Amino acid sequence: MSSIISREDLRALPYIQQPSYPDPAVLDRTIDTLEKLPPLVFAGECDDLRLKMADVADGRAFLLQGGDCAETFDAVTAQGIKGKLLVQLSMAVVMTYAAQVPVVKVGRIAGQYAKPRSSGMETRGEVTLPSYRGDAINGFDFTAEARAHDPQRLLQVYNSSAATLNLVRAFVKGGFADLRGVHTWNAEFVRDSQVEAEYEELAAEIDRALAFMVACGIEDDSLSTVDFYASHEALLLEYERALTRVDSRSQQLYGCSGHMLWIGERTRQLDGAHVELLSRVQNPLGVKLGPTTSVDDALALVDKLDPHHIPGRLTFITRMGAGKVRDVLPPVIEAVEASGRKVAWVCDPMHGNTFEAKNGYKTRSFADVAEEVNGFFDVHEQLGTWPGGLHVEMTGDDVTECVGGVHNLHEDDLANRYETFCDPRLNRNQSLELAFLVARRLRSGRLNRENPVQWFQAKDL
């Protein structure tokens, strides 16, 4: 059994992208409180997700992971949570039908309150203040009071995450996730948008499939309830360590702030505190891999984070950029696969494709997002490996933060509803369009392999 690392030992390791709290005593009192609070998720739920991620790694399932770039406390409302959940469930319906395998649904939710930043300070005119690093650390308003790093915000992270998880569980088990109701969003999208005829045909096929199931009398819970899991970047080390718990069943450690935790591109140093902390817990883990990733980096991370070869333990979330994915990704996949390890390969087409518009807005082009997704699938088809999933920053709202897409948003449109405090997100229509694009690739890939989920042998009569 691994032991919970002490505060002192954790702080002695390379401590990247952490807040600068002015009063260590206030921080320690906050951590004392967090350590006494109940877990937000349970070890058994984490184990269930790890089994599903093992199917993803084995080509028997597909992962859809999505949500806000950074959650905010003010956005913890029933309507906001409902909108994010509905667009992700709608995307999953299309992907499930296209891939003909289960889609594992994981939100960037109930814990994604902090973001790493390339600069610790922000200057406006003659005033320089700490950068906004997410509601978990400081406020967005450009004042010295708001931008001060406050450890007591970690308690609000816990409370907001608990409220979010409570509502999500009620939604996905209470009929809101009914397959037929969720698909109406997709039907409305293809009806009201100038989408390709291929997407209209796919939506119509799903309509007929659902009608067929109803006609056959299939009315069980699988049509009306789903399993939905919470994930976030385990950036804030004090918070994550405080919510590490010993499972009473197995006496093993679990990070109980979320079902799946991931390590970011900026914090994946082998000797760093993030890798050390997460190497001790039993949760399914993700690691972001950017364009500078070497073969040696990937192999070393596998050895450190999954020394016992546990199925479903490790997911590599690649964020190479549209122009680099076809060159950088293949040798990394080949090396890991040749080592005998089975990781889940997931595409993050967002973080490698950010740029500043001429009017100053941080944005992404839907065309670049689509190009990285296509590059990701191309690489896997060439190598004969399974493209295991999609990781996106998206919202159920009609924001204008990314350009392009079926409604052809331009840079001049960004000012209309640019609501994110950090990175630009796909809006509802762009998210659904991306789902149909992924569905196209899943269908084409399906033709080139025997689907292990659909294998069936009829009995002799």
Side-chain angles (χ1 to χ4, degrees):
M1 171 183 133
S2 298
S3 59
I4 299 177
I5 190 170
S6 70
R7 300 181 201 185
E8 295 72 25
D9 287 346
L10 188 66
R11 293 168 184 172
L13 295 169
Y15 220 58
I16 308 298
Q17 291 282 342
Q18 296 306 291
S20 300
Y21 295 123
D23 189 340
V26 176
L27 171 62
D28 280 332
R29 287 197 296 272
T30 303
I31 299 306
D32 288 342
T33 300
L34 281 171
E35 288 178 344
K36 296 172 185 174
L37 292 172
L40 289 171
V41 302
F42 303 103
E45 296 172 331
C46 299
D47 291 342
D48 290 343
L49 177 57
R50 192 175 63 243
L51 293 174
K52 288 180 169 63
M53 291 308 301
D55 284 341
V56 172
D58 201 35
R60 300 177 62 86
F62 188 84
L63 172 70
L64 175 60
Q65 187 173 15
D68 272 320
C69 62
E71 296 173 283
T72 62
F73 298 147
D74 288 343
V76 182
T77 64
Q79 192 60 38
I81 294 167
K82 179 181 178 180
K84 286 183 285 190
L85 187 59
L86 184 53
V87 71
Q88 190 166 351
L89 294 177
S90 299
M91 294 172 72
V93 171
V94 179
M95 294 176 183
T96 303
Y97 184 82
Q100 299 289 289
V101 300
V103 170
V104 181
K105 292 162 276 289
V106 178
R108 289 174 57 108
I109 199 168
Q112 188 64 16
Y113 289 96
K115 291 285 285 184
R117 304 311 296 254
S118 55
S119 175
M121 304 300 289
E122 178 184 356
T123 300
R124 299 185 188 178
E126 298 181 355
V127 179
T128 298
L129 293 173
S131 298
Y132 172 66
R133 300 176 67 91
D135 278 10
I137 299 172
N138 56 1
F140 184 73
D141 291 342
F142 195 70
T143 66
E145 181 181 15
R147 292 297 177 91
H149 293 188
D150 181 3
Q152 295 187 78
R153 283 176 168 266
L154 298 177
L155 297 175
Q156 197 165 354
V157 171
Y158 176 91
N159 291 330
S160 297
S161 298
T164 299
L165 284 168
N166 184 56
L167 193 55
V168 166
R169 286 171 173 139
F171 276 142
V172 300
K173 300 300 181 184
F176 171 79
D178 187 278
L179 196 59
R180 290 156 292 184
V182 167
H183 180 59
T184 59
W185 257 37
N186 297 324
E188 290 171 3
F189 167 70
V190 297
R191 184 179 66 243
D192 298 339
S193 306
Q194 296 299 312
V195 296
E196 298 180 39
E198 177 186 359
Y199 297 169
E200 295 179 344
E201 292 168 4
L202 178 58
E205 284 182 35
I206 298 173
D207 283 336
R208 290 192 293 270
L210 290 172
F212 175 74
M213 287 191 291
V214 172
C216 290
I218 301 173
E219 293 281 357
D220 63 14
D221 288 345
S222 62
L223 286 180
S224 58
T225 65
V226 298
D227 293 324
F228 193 89
Y229 300 92
S231 71
H232 62 268
E233 180 179 357
L235 180 65
L236 299 182
L237 294 164
E238 302 284 359
Y239 179 79
E240 300 299 339
R241 195 206 66 83
L243 284 172
T244 301
R245 301 285 190 267
V246 177
D247 175 31
S248 60
R249 308 165 308 159
S250 64
Q251 301 304 304
Q252 297 292 323
L253 294 182
Y254 285 79
C256 292
S257 62
H259 300 109
M260 180 182 185
L261 307 173
W262 78 81
I263 301 169
E265 165 76 354
R266 292 184 175 97
T267 54
R268 56 177 173 81
Q269 297 81 11
L270 275 178
D271 62 347
H274 291 86
V275 171
E276 177 60 33
L277 179 63
L278 292 196
S279 71
R280 297 174 178 234
V281 300
Q282 301 302 306
N283 305 59
L285 302 178
V287 182
K288 291 287 190 78
L289 300 181
T292 63
T293 303
S294 69
V295 166
D296 289 342
D297 290 339
L299 293 175
L301 285 164
V302 171
D303 287 339
K304 175 68 175 179
L305 294 172
D306 185 27
H308 304 299
H309 299 220
I310 299 172
R313 164 69 167 174
L314 193 57
T315 297
F316 278 148
I317 307 167
T318 64
R319 37 156 295 179
M320 304 299 185
K324 297 179 180 179
V325 62
R326 290 178 174 84
D327 297 323
V328 179
L329 185 57
V332 176
I333 294 176
E334 288 177 311
V336 174
E337 294 284 324
S339 74
R341 301 301 189 107
K342 292 298 294 183
V343 306
W345 296 102
V346 173
C347 177
D348 169 1
M350 309 295 293
H351 287 88
N353 297 304
T354 307
F355 66 95
E356 184 174 313
K358 293 178 181 177
N359 52 7
Y361 285 95
K362 185 179 182 182
T363 190
R364 291 160 174 153
S365 166
F366 183 86
D368 290 339
V369 171
E371 177 61 16
E372 179 154 3
V373 169
N374 280 320
F376 175 79
F377 275 89
D378 287 345
V379 168
H380 282 283
E381 286 190 7
Q382 291 162 9
L383 297 178
T385 49
W386 175 242
L390 182 71
H391 179 118
V392 287
E393 291 184 340
M394 37 71 78
T395 176
D397 299 327
D398 291 323
V399 299
T400 54
E401 296 170 3
C402 294
V403 297
V406 69
H407 291 297
N408 198 24
L409 293 179
H410 295 281
E411 291 186 8
D412 291 342
D413 298 317
L414 296 175
N416 294 339
R417 285 195 63 182
Y418 195 95
E419 299 178 5
T420 181
F421 285 174
C422 288
D423 291 340
R425 304 161 296 175
L426 299 176
N427 62 28
R428 168 197 164 181
N429 288 326
Q430 290 167 331
S431 299
L432 295 180
E433 185 177 1
L434 185 63
F436 277 92
L437 183 151
V438 171
R440 171 196 288 166
R441 296 307 305 259
L442 288 168
R443 290 186 99 179
S444 64
R446 198 177 82 208
L447 301 177
N448 299 323
R449 75 174 194 132
E450 182 176 340
N451 188 332
V453 174
Q454 299 294 335
W455 186 85
F456 174 77
Q457 183 175 0
K459 295 180 179 179
D460 292 331
L461 298 179

